[in-house]
Amino acid sequence: MNINHKVWALALLMSAAGAVSAHDAKDHKDNVVPNFAQAIPNIPGKSLIAVEVNYAPGGQSLPHHHANSAFIYAYVVSGSIRSQVEGQPARIYKAGESFAEEPGAHHLMGGNASTTEPAKLLAVFVVDSDDKTLTTPDK
């Protein structure tokens, strides 16, 4: 399997992991959709993977951990997102704002800050190309 196939497989696995971290999309009202995946040619062993996280009004993700290799840049495309990573205060980010999460972050809270409007987040991961599980739900 060449590196591009590995990266796309990883993106699909990450999408599935996001769906698992959301537990049941109709109960928690989030939807993770692969957007982009590519090996980073000048950083051997690293890949860039992007996913859209769409939240229905009031939608939330269950608490989860990110892969130890995953540095995440998150950009709020529309609506407003409430987020909290362990050790930091909860915060609401509005469309056009962004934030980062360190490798291995424990995401305590994530979701739509509005109960009446949808929200969309673009999450961009810089991750070891061989990481198979990028998001693990809390037990």
Side-chain angles (χ1 to χ4, degrees), residues 63-85:
H64 56 276
H65 283 84
H66 292 294
N68 287 334
S69 73
F71 177 80
I72 302 164
Y73 166 77
Y75 177 80
V76 181
V77 175
S78 62
S80 56
I81 301 290
R82 179 178 287 117
S83 182
Q84 182 179 17
V85 174

Side-chain angles (χ1 to χ4, degrees), residues 88-123:
Q88 299 177 10
R91 184 161 167 216
I92 295 176
Y93 299 89
K94 298 181 187 285
E97 295 183 321
S98 59
F99 57 95
E101 295 182 21
E102 296 293 322
H106 183 201
H107 206 148
L108 301 173
M109 173 195 323
N112 191 340
S114 172
T115 58
T116 59
E117 300 294 325
K120 182 188 288 190
L121 175 76
L122 178 67

